[in-house]
Amino acid sequence: MSAHTPPARLRDAWIALSGLSAVFLFEMLDNSVLTVALPTIGRDLAASTASLQWVSSAYSVAFGGLMLLFGAVADRFGRRRTMLVGLTLLAVASAATVLVTSVEQLVVVRALMGLAAAMTTPGSMALTFRLFSGDELRVRGLTVVSTAGLVGLAVGPTIGGFVLAVAPWQVLLVANVPIALVALVGIRSGVGADQPEDLHRHPLDLVGAVLGTATVVGVLVTPTLAVSTGGWLAWAIAVATVVAVVGFVVRERSARHPLLDLALVARPLVASGLAYKAAAGLATAGLSYAVTLQLQAAWGWPPALAAIGTLPQVVVLLVSGRFVGPFVRRVGLERAAWTSAAAVVLGLAVFTVLGRTGYPAVAVALVLVAAGMRVVGAVAGARVLSGLPGDRTSIGAALVDTASELATAVGIAATGTVLAAFVPGSVTVAQPTAAHAAAVVGALQVAGAVITAVAALLVAVGVLRARRGASTPEPTATRPTPTATGSPTPTSTPTIPTSSTAPSSSIDHHQESSRA
């Protein structure tokens, strides 16, 4: 393979994929492991319930609020460079956990780790996409990277439980240091250095960055405050969030060099991919929260049995990766995107309608959601990045992650709000009565119906936008063709079409180029 030829096989880019996979492993493993450790952290640091909530929230708010900013920074100053800086920060912040002596210090460490995640996670998707030239390899590469994250998400609680039995909780966060080192080595060795022609030099829209960060942080924080405290503070932050949203839109429509070009977001490929990703994130968050509460708060299952009850989802997530590529190749990128998002929404609908009848319906719902997640995570991101110019892929990846993060927050907040309104007193009680169990199940049905309707609407919006894109070709963009170890070569190619034959046509073209 020449210095300017993209990898023809996944194995040709295994060093880069190893490093990029380590980034996703950190993102998914971190929060799932920490959740198990929160009770231990609370006892060790004498932390209140509110303080423990901020241990988790500090990471999510920093991560979600800063992704758009660092996506724009990466497109201007280098995706590889931004990731390497973020990974260095991650290693340092994780190692600093051993010095923590108070919950306030831990919150600061968690915020720094969220900052590091904002610098690294969008770049990992963008760089994975840019390693390859054909649709099939791009989807397979994104599937490999996302598999690492899903493995971390699936096994995190189990690993955390075993570690806490023999070691202090700090070990769980310090474990991010070797993960960051693996990512550093893989990306530094396997991904080519940023090239000037692969970036754009427009000034960074700092006003837009502040307004965008305020918008995302407000959306993430407002639902939590509304459910937990209510009162004037929640209303004040809600109003400030609306003002930030309006200000952000006005700024991005009027700025000469906006942080986020709203015209690009409106492109059919981009808009449909974001709609599918948001629908899947919303339904997944709603189902995960609802299943946990129904098994434990309504049915009285102990935590260990409830963990076993979620095994169908874990198994599907772990074993279905090999089927994603063949499925996308068979049905096409667009059909794979909307059907996988619809499967996630269908899983939540099954739980909403039949979940109260017994565990078999819950298991079916978990399987449907897991199967849909496995596909939509790769193909929705690929659609968004395919619809953007080559020098906007990092901001596109940040958009995908932001859409998922916001949808997850909304799904959890919506479920919590309905529960607070329909269930008197605390949702979790030591000995649930029949009346309490019925109230919890009824509230979960209401919440599930609301979230299912909104998620289904998002899928419909995605389908309509994609059909519009099929009838109205998008502008031709200059897209660099990067390599695992060499520099990218700019080539003028049209945006990948949205028809079901897009993957195979691109694959054939790539194979012909390789043979030539």
Side-chain angles (χ1 to χ4, degrees):
M1 184 175 64
S2 68
H4 298 288
T5 303
R9 302 169 299 176
L10 289 185
R11 69 181 63 180
D12 295 334
W14 72 269
I15 296 177
L17 288 175
S18 297
L20 295 167
S21 297
V23 175
F24 260 80
L25 175 62
F26 149 69
E27 180 194 352
M28 294 295 188
L29 181 65
D30 183 76
N31 261 334
S32 64
V33 166
L34 187 72
T35 300
V36 178
L38 285 178
T40 304
I41 293 173
R43 290 191 297 268
D44 191 22
L45 300 180
S48 65
T49 301
S51 298
L52 284 180
Q53 183 178 356
W54 276 109
V55 170
S56 295
S57 298
Y59 174 89
S60 298
V61 169
F63 177 39
L66 295 172
M67 273 192 291
L68 287 179
L69 170 61
F70 281 110
V73 167
D75 281 336
R76 287 163 171 79
F77 301 103
R79 301 164 188 89
R80 179 177 179 269
R81 183 180 297 116
T82 302
M83 286 196 69
L84 293 177
V85 173
L87 288 169
T88 303
L89 175 61
L90 170 63
V92 172
S94 300
T97 305
V98 299
L99 304 176
V100 166
T101 58
S102 69
V103 69
E104 292 79 13
Q105 293 174 356
L106 182 57
V107 169
V108 172
V109 168
R110 295 294 296 162
L112 289 174
M113 294 173 69
L115 169 61
M119 298 176 72
T120 56
T121 303
S124 63
M125 177 183 291
L127 288 175
T128 302
F129 179 86
R130 297 166 66 85
L131 279 175
F132 307 102
S133 62
D135 287 357
E136 184 190 29
L137 281 178
R138 283 172 171 165
V139 171
R140 287 174 61 193
L142 289 169
T143 301
V144 168
V145 171
S146 65
T147 295
L150 292 172
V151 168
L153 182 65
V155 305
T158 303
I159 291 176
F162 282 126
V163 170
L164 289 175
V166 298
W169 60 267
Q170 288 89 341
V171 172
L172 297 177
L173 297 184
V174 174
N176 288 321
V177 175
I179 296 176
L181 293 178
V182 170
L184 272 168
V185 172
I187 293 170
R188 188 174 180 83
S189 302
V191 177
D194 300 299
Q195 301 297 313
E197 64 271 19
D198 195 22
L199 308 172
H200 67 88
R201 297 299 181 186
H202 296 163
L204 188 62
D205 178 16
L206 295 178
V207 174
V210 171
L211 290 170
T213 299
T215 295
V216 176
V217 170
V219 172
L220 291 172
V221 171
T222 300
T224 301
L225 289 177
V227 173
S228 60
T229 62
W232 68 268
L233 179 60
W235 282 106
I237 294 181
V239 171
T241 300
V242 172
V243 172
V245 170
V246 174
F248 180 72
V249 172
V250 170
R251 171 66 184 182
E252 299 313 285
R253 290 176 65 89
S254 60
R256 183 178 180 184
H257 301 295
L259 178 79
L260 178 62
D261 189 342
L262 298 181
L264 294 179
V265 178
R267 287 186 174 188
L269 277 175
V270 179
S272 62
L274 291 176
Y276 297 143
K277 187 69 173 178
L282 181 64
T284 300
L287 181 71
S288 299
Y289 194 17
V291 166
T292 298
L293 288 177
Q294 180 157 308
L295 295 183
Q296 299 186 56
W299 292 355
W301 290 22
L305 184 58
I308 294 174
T310 62
L311 280 180
Q313 186 176 46
V314 174
V315 171
V316 172
L317 287 174
L318 295 181
V319 305
S320 59
R322 68 183 64 183
F323 303 109
V324 175
F327 174 70
V328 174
R329 188 164 54 247
R330 181 179 181 84
V331 306
L333 198 60
E334 161 57 20
R335 190 175 299 173
W338 78 257
T339 55
S340 58
V344 177
V345 178
L346 179 61
L348 178 58
V350 168
F351 174 83
T352 300
V353 176
L354 302 174
R356 67 188 310 163
T357 63
Y359 177 73
V362 174
V364 171
L366 290 171
V367 168
L368 284 170
V369 168
M373 283 173 56
R374 204 64 179 84
V375 179
V376 75
V379 297
R383 286 183 62 78
V384 172
L385 299 186
S386 297
L388 292 171
D391 59 0
R392 298 295 196 280
T393 49
S394 290
I395 193 71
L399 269 175
V400 174
D401 285 328
T402 301
S404 181
E405 191 80 9
L406 293 178
T408 298
V410 170
I412 294 174
T415 306
T417 301
V418 173
L419 285 166
F422 282 77
V423 180
S426 176
V427 174
T428 57
V429 295
Q431 297 294 331
T433 63
H436 181 271
V440 171
V441 172
L444 292 177
Q445 283 188 301
V446 173
V450 172
I451 296 174
T452 299
V454 176
L457 179 61
L458 286 170
V459 174
V461 169
V463 172
L464 292 175
R465 293 296 295 165
R467 289 180 177 176
R468 179 179 177 182
S471 60
T472 307
E474 294 184 17
T476 298
T478 301
R479 183 178 304 284
T481 303
T483 68
T485 55
S487 59
T489 302
T491 58
S492 294
T493 58
T495 302
I496 298 172
T498 58
S499 67
S500 60
T501 58
S504 58
S505 62
S506 295
I507 296 162
D508 293 342
H509 174 75
H510 170 66
Q511 290 173 340
E512 291 170 3
S513 299
S514 298
R515 286 194 295 268

